């Protein structure tokens, strides 16, 4: 037992000591200045400068905040069911959560990437990854809705994604866990890792006009763990860079066994060369199974297709595709500066930051200046690729972004700080404490050719003493810094949803000018749309009952239905007839075990309900819509199986007794 636990205790103790030593960094910037409140205050009726899209971690969703206010504007449902919006509950959205494993109602959403044109944010889409059941989603920023989700075969733990090329030609996704490939026998001993486990990097093409995604090709790589990545730009255009760890190829107690070497690797991939081989038919077609789900804004519904083939390119057979660059130690972040010349690796167990030069990498490749190979991939000598090292910057470097002025900003998890340093001479320029243990950070446009360089947001894992206590768990925090001057200034902090990882931000006007306000009712192509109250109806076919229902302030049509029987599958097809901005209507029925619907103006959505007992079941609007919102209700009568109650429906038909009372 001592042999097993002593190394773990030693490493843990070392990290604790490092954390204690680094919790109060020297020369830490002041806390919020006297003008901080005015800097983040957005008066009533005014708008924020930026949209900030933040990953939702184990919530599976994406949250949207305004910057500088820190106000939560919206939660976009992506990989997890969302009862507020009916995502995954309506018949139209259920297919979006289909996978090769069936309907999966939860996801682990870690990273985001905004679409780009010429290396600059273009505001069309944002891509989101799902770590647990490997998937990538495309969110349409006209509607702030998930438009497409594609599952990734031959992958496990889709953490290293969804990072894009500089013209959004591809979304790139690396596997976190190496595993046996889907097309091979996976029933192998775990301790055969080195022999049977492989990694993949998937290139998902994105159609330039409508954004439709398609799995183009996958690169087969040695078994190890793949982490954060970014595309090249400028001189490094056509390349992609990934941090990797577990070069020891350990499969148990990675805390110790995957931290033995002084260096792991940055993987440099010439994706343009890989694309050439793919288009020349050099890849191998393999049988797989994965889901491709697409949502239509015209039919207001999703379709799910199971795909059965993928193209694999084995990197060891094509030596000019991939190269390994040693990087200390257990690197997590891998970032490319706005010029495309410098690649920053962040070894989270290292006490320095290595910065690599793309020009030097190319010279080393041309000269074959290698130090052997790793799994058939050439290993470039560390010194041959190195631009230089940032010395003693802090403890536990993780992620770096850039301000476009020649400066880099790196989070330090253990010493709980943001450190600003110069790309030119690799000198530390400033540091500021965070509260506490930051992971990712976001500078608007900080991973592009053109950062905006005014704000930095740190996403911290620990918030003890920052907020009112809420039991044994506290929300994570986001902290907003002003980086427009020489020194960083902390402006505010605010809680965030789920466990935020990466985030992206963009000027508000880029998104707001194209924002969709309504769905035009005349363009609604849903097969169950009801274009006006006179066309509302209820139709039976066996035990299948279709209710074609409209919604408008402040009633349903029909609002009384009789003749439904126990065991019927009742489909409420709800069409919102409103054509005014921000007038959704909701719908729920007592006892339904599916959820509620939230139906946007001009949209049609369907709720399935199978009543199990007889009785009168109220239906009502769940979203406050007008002064008469409470009056927006109705009833469904459910009779026994085999009952002779005819199927009838009505609107505005009162009983004789009620009519006589009204007349008095």
């Amino acid at each position: 037992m001592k042999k097993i636990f002593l190394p773990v205790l030693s490493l843990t103790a070392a990290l604790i000591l490092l954390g204690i030593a680094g919790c109060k960094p020297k020369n830490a910037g002041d806390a919020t200045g006297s003008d901080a409140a005015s800097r983040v205050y957005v008066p009533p009726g005014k708008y924020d400068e930026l949209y900030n899209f933040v990953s939702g971690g184990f919530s599976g969703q994406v949250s949207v905040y305004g910057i500088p206010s820190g106000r939560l504007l919206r939660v976009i449902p992506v990989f997890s069911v969302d009862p507020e919006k009916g995502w995954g509950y309506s018949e139209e959205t259920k297919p979006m959560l289909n996978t090769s494993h069936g309907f999966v109602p939860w996801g682990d959403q870690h990273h985001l990437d905004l679409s780009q044109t010429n290396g600059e944010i273009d505001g069309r889409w944002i891509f989101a990854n799902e770590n647990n059941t490997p998937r990538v989603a495309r969110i349409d920023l006209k509607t702030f809705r998930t438009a497409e989700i594609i599952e990734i075969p031959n992958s496990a733990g889709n953490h290293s994604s969804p990072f894009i090329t500089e013209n959004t030609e591809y979304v790139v996704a690396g596997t976190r866990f190496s595993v046996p490939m889907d097309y091979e026998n996976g029933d192998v001993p775990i301790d055969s890792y080195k022999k049977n486990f492989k990694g993949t990097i998937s290139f998902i093409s994105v159609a330039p006009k409508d954004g439709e995604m398609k799995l183009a090709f996958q690169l087969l790589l040695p078994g190890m763990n793949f982490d954060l990545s970014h595309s090249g730009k400028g001189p490094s255009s056509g390349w992609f860079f990934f941090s990797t760890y577990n070069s020891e190829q350990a499969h148990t107690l990675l805390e110790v066994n995957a931290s033995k070497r002084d260096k792991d690797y940055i993987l440099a991939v010439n994706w343009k060369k890989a694309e050439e081989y793919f288009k020349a038919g050099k890849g191998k077609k393999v049988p797989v199974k994965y889901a491709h789900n697409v949502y239509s804004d015209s039919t207001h519904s999703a379709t799910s297709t199971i795909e059965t083939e993928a193209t694999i390119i084995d990197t060891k057979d094509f030596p000019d595709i991939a190269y390994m660059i040693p990087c200390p130690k257990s690197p997590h972040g891998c970032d490319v500066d706005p010029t495309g010349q410098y690649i920053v690796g962040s070894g989270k167990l290292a006490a320095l930051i290595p910065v690599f030069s793309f020009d030097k990498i190319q010279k080393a490749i041309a000269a074959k200046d290698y130090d052997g190979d790793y799994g058939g991939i050439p290993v470039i000598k560390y010194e041959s690729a190195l631009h230089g090292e940032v010395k003693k910057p802090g403890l536990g470097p993780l992620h770096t972004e850039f301000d476009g002025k020649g400066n880099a900003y790196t989070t330090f998890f253990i010493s709980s700080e943001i450190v600003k340093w110069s790309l030119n001479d690799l000198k530390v320029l400033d540091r500021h404490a965070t509260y506490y243990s930051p992971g990712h950070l976001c500078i608007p446009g900080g991973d592009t050719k053109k950062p905006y360089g005014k704000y930095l947001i740190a996403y911290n894992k620990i918030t003890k003493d920052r907020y009112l206590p809420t039991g044994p768990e506290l929300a994570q925090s986001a902290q907003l810094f002003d980086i427009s001057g020489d020194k960083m200034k902390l402006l505010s902090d605010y809680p965030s949803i789920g466990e935020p990882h990466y985030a992206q931000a963009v000027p508000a006007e880029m998104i707001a000018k194209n924002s969709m306000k309504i769905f035009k009712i005349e363009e609604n192509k849903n097969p169950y749309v009801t274009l006006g109250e006179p066309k509302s109806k209820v139709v039976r076919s066996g035990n299948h009952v279709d209710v074609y229902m409209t919604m408008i302030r402040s009633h349903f049509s029909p609002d009384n239905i009789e003749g439904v029987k126990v065991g019927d599958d009742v489909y409420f097809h709800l069409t919102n007839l409103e054509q005014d901005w921000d007038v959704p209507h909701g719908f729920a029925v007592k006892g339904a075990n599916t959820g509620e619907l939230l139906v946007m103006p001009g949209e049609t959505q369907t709720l399935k309900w199978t009543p199990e007992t007889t009785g009168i079941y109220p239906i009502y609007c769940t979203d406050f819509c007008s002064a008469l919102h409470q009056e927006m209700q109705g009833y469904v009568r459910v009779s026994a199986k085999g009952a002779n109650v005819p199927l009838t429906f009505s609107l505005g038909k009162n009983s004789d007794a009620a009519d006589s009372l009204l007349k008095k």
Side-chain angles (χ1 to χ4, degrees), residues 228-244 265-269 323-328 331-347 352-363 365 380 382 384-390 398-402 408 410 421 423 426:
L228 276 293
S229 57
H230 275 96
S231 171
K233 52 183 78 79
S236 56
S237 179
W239 286 73
F240 228 98
F241 303 92
F242 299 78
S243 60
T244 70
Y265 298 108
I266 296 295
L267 172 68
V269 173
Y323 304 87
M324 294 291 196
I325 305 165
C327 180
H332 188 41
C334 182
D335 303 279
V336 181
D337 88 303
T339 70
Q341 181 59 247
Y342 301 116
I343 299 96
V344 179
S346 294
L352 54 81
I353 301 173
V355 181
F356 301 101
S357 161
F358 182 74
D359 284 348
K360 287 188 173 182
I361 291 169
Q362 294 307 296
K363 288 177 182 177
I365 291 170
I380 298 171
Y382 179 71
S384 299
L386 189 68
H387 167 63
E389 297 172 338
V390 184
L398 289 185
H399 300 288
T400 300
E401 293 222 336
F402 309 91
T410 301
W421 51 276
L423 280 163
L426 307 181

Side-chain angles (χ1 to χ4, degrees), residues 296-319:
S296 166
D297 282 335
S298 61
T299 64
H300 308 294
S301 60
T303 56
S304 179
T305 304
I306 296 296
E307 306 287 352
T308 59
E309 188 177 77
T311 299
I312 290 281
I313 298 174
D314 193 334
T315 53
K316 74 176 188 304
D317 297 333
F318 301 93

Side-chain angles (χ1 to χ4, degrees), residues 612-625:
E612 297 178 350
T613 58
T614 61
I616 300 297
Y617 290 82
I619 58 175
Y620 68 101
C621 177
T622 57
D623 189 346
F624 198 96
C625 55

Side-chain angles (χ1 to χ4, degrees), residues 92-370:
E92 284 82 359
T93 60
K94 284 179 181 177
M96 292 299 286
L97 300 181
N98 188 42
T99 74
S100 61
H101 307 278
F103 181 84
V104 176
W106 170 81
D108 186 17
Q109 200 282 296
H110 278 225
H111 303 119
L112 300 164
D113 219 356
L114 285 157
S115 58
Q116 297 180 19
T117 300
N118 296 324
E120 298 180 20
I121 294 169
D122 59 29
R124 294 181 295 165
W125 312 299
I126 190 165
F127 299 90
N129 76 325
E130 203 280 277
N131 190 26
N132 184 63
T133 305
R135 287 172 284 175
V136 166
R138 176 175 58 87
I139 298 167
D140 189 336
L141 294 181
K142 293 194 303 294
T143 59
F144 281 61
R145 281 187 169 180
T146 303
E148 191 173 9
I149 296 177
I150 189 167
E151 189 180 4
I152 304 175
N154 298 317
S155 179
N158 177 40
H159 187 255
S160 177
S161 77
F163 299 103
I164 62 167
T165 54
E166 59 185 327
N167 283 292
T168 321
E169 300 98 335
Y170 294 100
V171 178
V172 183
T175 184
R176 172 180 173 182
F177 308 108
S178 287
V179 291
M181 295 294 95
D182 291 358
Y183 54 89
E184 297 175 332
N185 176 24
D187 183 12
V188 297
I190 296 173
D191 64 8
S192 68
Y193 184 106
K194 292 184 180 181
K195 177 182 178 183
N196 292 315
F197 290 47
K198 298 292 183 183
T200 57
I201 293 173
S202 302
F203 284 77
I204 301 166
S205 64
V206 181
K209 288 187 177 180
D210 61 12
E212 183 177 1
M213 298 189 294
K214 183 178 180 181
L215 180 61
F217 60 92
Q218 296 181 300
L219 300 182
L220 188 66
L221 293 145
M224 59 195 311
N225 292 60
F226 296 83
D227 217 325
L228 276 293
S229 57
H230 275 96
S231 171
K233 52 183 78 79
S236 56
S237 179
W239 286 73
F240 228 98
F241 303 92
F242 299 78
S243 60
T244 70
Y245 63 102
N246 191 22
S247 56
E248 296 87 349
Q249 296 187 312
H251 56 81
T252 182
L253 199 63
L254 265 63
E255 179 184 7
V256 173
N257 291 323
S259 302
K260 291 180 177 179
R261 295 186 175 186
D262 287 337
K263 292 183 175 66
D264 285 290
Y265 298 108
I266 296 295
L267 172 68
V269 173
N270 184 339
W271 69 261
K272 279 287 190 181
K273 181 62 67 174
E275 182 186 56
E276 285 180 23
Y277 288 130
F278 166 65
K279 290 182 176 179
K282 301 292 186 181
K284 174 185 175 184
K285 304 285 187 184
V286 297
V288 291
K289 184 180 179 183
Y290 64 98
H292 184 194
N293 311 327
V294 180
Y295 191 86
S296 166
D297 282 335
S298 61
T299 64
H300 308 294
S301 60
T303 56
S304 179
T305 304
I306 296 296
E307 306 287 352
T308 59
E309 188 177 77
T311 299
I312 290 281
I313 298 174
D314 193 334
T315 53
K316 74 176 188 304
D317 297 333
F318 301 93
D320 52 354
I321 290 179
Y323 304 87
M324 294 291 196
I325 305 165
C327 180
K329 176 183 186 183
S330 297
H332 188 41
C334 182
D335 303 279
V336 181
D337 88 303
T339 70
Q341 181 59 247
Y342 301 116
I343 299 96
V344 179
S346 294
K348 57 182 180 283
L349 299 181
L352 54 81
I353 301 173
V355 181
F356 301 101
S357 161
F358 182 74
D359 284 348
K360 287 188 173 182
I361 291 169
Q362 294 307 296
K363 288 177 182 177
I365 291 170
K368 297 188 183 301
D369 195 5
Y370 302 145

Side-chain angles (χ1 to χ4, degrees), residues 278-520:
F278 166 65
K279 290 182 176 179
K282 301 292 186 181
K284 174 185 175 184
K285 304 285 187 184
V286 297
V288 291
K289 184 180 179 183
Y290 64 98
H292 184 194
N293 311 327
V294 180
Y295 191 86
S296 166
D297 282 335
S298 61
T299 64
H300 308 294
S301 60
T303 56
S304 179
T305 304
I306 296 296
E307 306 287 352
T308 59
E309 188 177 77
T311 299
I312 290 281
I313 298 174
D314 193 334
T315 53
K316 74 176 188 304
D317 297 333
F318 301 93
D320 52 354
I321 290 179
Y323 304 87
M324 294 291 196
I325 305 165
C327 180
K329 176 183 186 183
S330 297
H332 188 41
C334 182
D335 303 279
V336 181
D337 88 303
T339 70
Q341 181 59 247
Y342 301 116
I343 299 96
V344 179
S346 294
K348 57 182 180 283
L349 299 181
L352 54 81
I353 301 173
V355 181
F356 301 101
S357 161
F358 182 74
D359 284 348
K360 287 188 173 182
I361 291 169
Q362 294 307 296
K363 288 177 182 177
I365 291 170
K368 297 188 183 301
D369 195 5
Y370 302 145
D371 190 9
D373 70 88
Y374 183 88
I377 299 175
V379 176
I380 298 171
K381 289 180 179 177
Y382 179 71
E383 294 77 11
S384 299
L386 189 68
H387 167 63
E389 297 172 338
V390 184
K391 303 290 188 181
K392 298 181 180 179
L395 300 173
L398 289 185
H399 300 288
T400 300
E401 293 222 336
F402 309 91
D403 63 7
K405 305 170 188 175
N407 304 311
Y409 300 74
T410 301
T411 54
F412 287 82
F413 184 84
I414 296 172
S415 53
S416 289
E417 58 184 327
I418 303 285
V419 174
K420 175 182 178 181
W421 51 276
S422 168
L423 280 163
N424 181 42
D425 59 14
L426 307 181
K427 301 294 186 183
V428 172
L429 303 174
D430 188 28
R431 60 180 73 238
H432 202 301
T434 62
Y435 307 97
Y436 304 94
S437 299
H440 281 279
L441 75 163
C442 168
I443 293 174
D447 67 334
T448 71
K449 283 183 179 178
K450 190 177 179 181
Y452 298 95
K454 181 177 181 181
Y455 296 116
L456 179 153
I457 309 115
Y459 300 95
N460 306 319
K461 303 301 184 184
I462 299 171
T463 56
K464 292 174 182 178
D465 78 25
R466 300 304 290 175
Y467 306 129
L468 288 170
T470 52
E473 184 183 21
L474 299 170
Q476 285 80 25
S477 78
Q479 293 192 297
L480 179 68
F481 292 83
D482 172 16
I483 60 169
S484 59
D486 291 336
K487 298 293 183 181
M488 293 176 277
K489 294 182 180 179
L490 177 61
L491 299 180
S492 69
D493 62 7
Y494 48 91
S496 54
I497 286 180
E499 184 198 355
H501 292 263
Y502 195 37
Q504 298 256 284
V506 60
E509 63 268 16
M510 183 178 287
I511 304 295
K513 67 183 179 182
N514 296 319
S515 181
M516 182 181 290
K517 293 181 170 59
I518 63 169
F519 295 102
K520 294 179 181 179

